[in-house]
Amino acid sequence: DRIQREAASAAASARDAANLALKERHERLIRQRVITKWNRPLSARHGMVTTLRISVLPGGEVSNIVIIKSSGDAAFDASAKDAIESSSPLPVPDDIAVFNSYFRVFAFKFSPEDM
């Protein structure tokens, strides 16, 4: 019984690690895609950050974007939103459990330093 519990625990830990690696891989892919679609506004300055809440459908289509923390510059915020819209469909994982856990709705922190 103890051996079965330990085996189940080890399997769960391996699955969690694999899911986390998949999440991190797709976060990088999304960031890379958004970077290529961003048109930097003239008003963009070092240190600006906007945070967006992105709602995504299975398959990666962006269904909604909400600015949840503004940079204080409307052009910068709009450029971040436009870059995400232009990046749709996003490269999300095919694994529906991982998608639902991490990518159905997620926050995306956008700043020039990341670009």
Side-chain angles (χ1 to χ4, degrees), residues 6-109:
E6 288 174 0
S9 177
S13 293
R15 185 178 58 250
D16 291 347
N19 287 350
L20 187 58
L22 190 60
K23 170 190 178 268
E24 291 170 353
R25 177 175 179 267
H26 284 275
E27 285 174 339
R28 282 191 304 277
L29 291 171
I30 290 168
R31 184 159 297 283
Q32 289 168 353
R33 168 132 350 134
V34 171
I35 287 167
T36 66
K37 302 292 184 178
W38 186 46
N39 293 314
R40 185 184 200 117
L42 294 174
S43 60
R45 299 287 178 261
H46 183 76
M48 284 183 160
V49 178
T50 187
T51 305
L52 307 133
R53 183 176 53 239
I54 305 170
S55 300
V56 182
L57 301 173
E61 184 181 343
V62 174
S63 62
N64 194 33
I65 304 168
V66 176
I67 297 167
I68 54 176
K69 185 176 181 199
S70 174
S71 66
D73 183 278
F76 179 80
D77 293 350
S79 74
K81 193 172 177 180
D82 289 346
I84 292 164
E85 288 172 348
S86 298
S87 298
S88 185
L90 298 176
V92 295
D94 292 330
D95 182 314
I96 197 69
V98 175
F99 169 78
N100 284 334
S101 293
Y102 301 111
F103 295 99
R104 183 163 296 276
V105 177
F106 65 99
F108 187 87
K109 192 173 181 180

